[in-house]
Amino acid sequence: LLKEHEGKVKVLAGGTDLLPSMKQRLFTPEYVLDLRQIPGLGEIEDNFQKGVRIGSLSTLAAIEESPVVKGRFPALAEAAGLVGATQLRNMGTIGGNIALETRCWYFNQSHSWRRSIERCIKLGGKVCHVVKRSKKQCYAYFAADTVPILVALNAEVTIKGNGKGRQCLLKDIYTQEGKNSNTLKPTEVISEVLVPLPDPGSGSSYKKLRIREAIDFPLVGAAVQVVMSGDICRDAKIVLGAVGSGPIEVTEAESVLRGNPITEELIEEVGKISQKAAKPMPNAVSTPEYRRKMAGLLTKQALREAVNRANILE
Ligand SMILES: Cc1cc2nc3c(=O)[nH]c(=O)nc-3n(C[C@H](O)[C@H](O)[C@H](O)COP(=O)(O)OP(=O)(O)OC[C@H]3O[C@@H](n4cnc5c(N)ncnc54)[C@H](O)[C@@H]3O)c2cc1C
């Protein structure tokens, strides 16, 4: 069906983002293809050798409450539990979260509001209201809560479509561009996510900044995964969300951590590097300066928690 109606159809999972967007006429597809009619996409399965397989239609509530996810990847369960509000988590799926559209102050507005300004690049126009001198690039931000921690955990996705399937690291599907923020083709869907088992001595954490605790999208997200041997950090992954057009891996901070004992000085240094790596734009309700500062602060909080968790589990 996706091939037959290529370019005219949008895939629907929980509909918690697509349907409000369609009501705002951000998207006006001729057809909507409901994935929920496809059996077997909503399962969470513990595959002891490979990791945890999460079907793309698994709801965020199911992930938040899953004993398997809570046991193996508590930070992922927590990130799912921080999405929106209860009703959204009961309907919203992990596939929809991964494929979430980027957001922008000038894009996520009503039809009549948008009509009062020139059409932006994300809507097929020629201007970017966020970066006025931008010729082609759209600076909308990617605000999916589960993605930073999934990327930090080295998750893989299986993508199917047109009779074929492919598997890749989740981080590789993101383009870091606001208009087309992932490489999914119109004929493809995400069928599952595989979160590999972490090394012994691992701990992870996800921290989020938002205006209203009860419902809002992240203005900053920080995910950390560490592998500890005693006091020494053997490996680390730090991924920021909502401060760029895709998840941002802070590789410089990861190298600073690797092979070193975790001290307060090192945590401060990592916070500074993370703050510098964040690329927030004037496209959301709070200022880029505040979001950048908070990226550093949340990274430090997440790092402390990840290290504590690794030490408890060791
Ligand atoms: C008020 C409000 C607050 C919100 N707060 C948050 C928040 O705090 N954090 C957050 O992360 N999100 C938030 N959201 C967004 C949304 O609820 C979640 O991101 C949810 O996980 C989206 O999943 P869904 O199944 O509802 O996706 P849908 O709305 O069905 O789809 C979203 C997009 O993904 C595509 N898609 C869906 N499934 C697949 C698939 N399997 N393969 C390929 N493409 C697919 C759709 O075509 C569409 O483009 C909020 C939404 C609202 C309305």
Side-chain angles (χ1 to χ4, degrees):
L1 281 170
L2 287 175
K3 183 74 194 155
E4 196 180 320
H5 302 295
E6 195 171 340
K8 298 183 197 156
V9 57
K10 271 281 201 187
V11 161
L12 176 93
T16 60
D17 197 63
L18 182 63
L19 296 182
S21 303
M22 284 173 64
K23 286 183 183 170
Q24 289 175 321
R25 287 188 247 168
L26 292 167
F27 305 105
T28 49
E30 270 180 52
Y31 302 94
V32 170
L33 183 77
D34 188 351
L35 293 181
R36 288 170 303 181
Q37 305 302 315
I38 304 172
L41 290 184
E43 281 150 27
I44 300 176
E45 187 186 276
D46 199 350
N47 179 327
F48 291 94
Q49 266 127 38
K50 284 191 169 168
V52 175
R53 198 188 66 81
I54 305 174
S56 67
L57 286 185
S58 304
T59 63
L60 297 158
I63 294 167
E64 179 187 4
E65 284 151 23
S66 155
V68 172
V69 179
K70 279 202 282 192
R72 296 212 184 270
F73 311 107
L76 174 59
E78 286 160 11
L82 287 171
V83 172
T86 312
Q87 292 91 333
L88 293 165
R89 294 193 294 275
N90 284 338
M91 291 297 290
T93 65
I94 190 141
N97 202 236
I98 289 172
L100 193 64
E101 276 296 333
T102 50
R103 303 183 63 73
C104 176
W105 181 252
Y106 299 91
F107 174 72
N108 298 95
Q109 296 286 355
S110 67
H111 184 54
S112 52
W113 191 99
R114 287 196 320 273
R115 273 201 336 199
S116 66
I117 56 168
E118 199 180 335
R119 200 142 48 100
C120 73
I121 291 170
K122 190 160 168 74
L123 284 165
K126 291 202 171 99
V127 295
C128 174
H129 299 293
V130 176
V131 178
K132 305 277 182 216
R133 64 178 186 283
S134 175
K135 292 271 185 289
K136 282 192 192 140
Q137 191 171 344
C138 160
Y139 287 87
Y141 66 105
F142 182 66
D145 273 307
T146 65
V147 171
I149 188 66
L150 282 171
V151 171
L153 292 165
N154 287 316
E156 289 169 18
V157 274
T158 303
I159 295 165
K160 290 196 173 150
N162 220 359
K164 294 184 208 133
R166 62 185 171 110
Q167 217 171 2
C168 63
L169 280 174
L170 174 61
K171 72 168 185 183
D172 291 341
I173 74 166
Y174 296 107
T175 60
Q176 305 295 337
E177 214 282 323
K179 187 171 180 197
N180 298 308
S181 61
N182 64 54
T183 57
L184 286 173
K185 298 195 186 92
T187 51
E188 289 181 327
V189 293
I190 298 162
S191 63
E192 67 176 54
V193 187
L194 177 78
V195 193
L197 287 186
D199 287 345
S202 295
S204 53
S205 172
Y206 175 70
K207 299 286 173 201
K208 166 177 182 175
L209 169 76
R210 55 177 158 178
I211 300 284
R212 297 166 299 180
E213 287 297 312
I215 191 162
D216 282 325
F217 278 90
L219 289 167
V220 182
V224 175
Q225 152 88 348
V226 287
V227 185
M228 301 293 294
S229 259
D231 280 354
I232 305 292
C233 176
R234 276 202 291 122
D235 202 4
K237 283 259 179 196
I238 299 180
V239 184
L240 299 175
V243 284
S245 298
I248 298 178
E249 188 175 348
V250 192
T251 47
E252 192 187 337
E254 293 169 359
S255 340
V256 161
L257 284 167
R258 245 174 246 127
N260 285 311
I262 305 286
T263 59
E264 262 311 304
E265 274 174 345
L266 193 64
I267 293 175
E268 281 303 320
E269 192 183 341
V270 164
K272 279 189 193 138
I273 298 172
S274 196
Q275 181 169 330
K276 243 171 88 186
K279 300 277 177 269
M281 290 286 168
N283 53 10
V285 288
S286 63
T287 63
E289 292 74 21
Y290 178 59
R291 285 161 77 199
R292 199 174 297 118
K293 262 193 185 160
M294 289 304 286
L297 187 84
L298 295 189
T299 302
K300 290 192 284 181
Q301 289 178 356
L303 177 57
R304 284 193 193 97
E305 185 164 78
V307 171
N308 281 341
R309 285 180 169 168
N311 289 338
I312 290 167
L313 293 174
E314 217 181 18

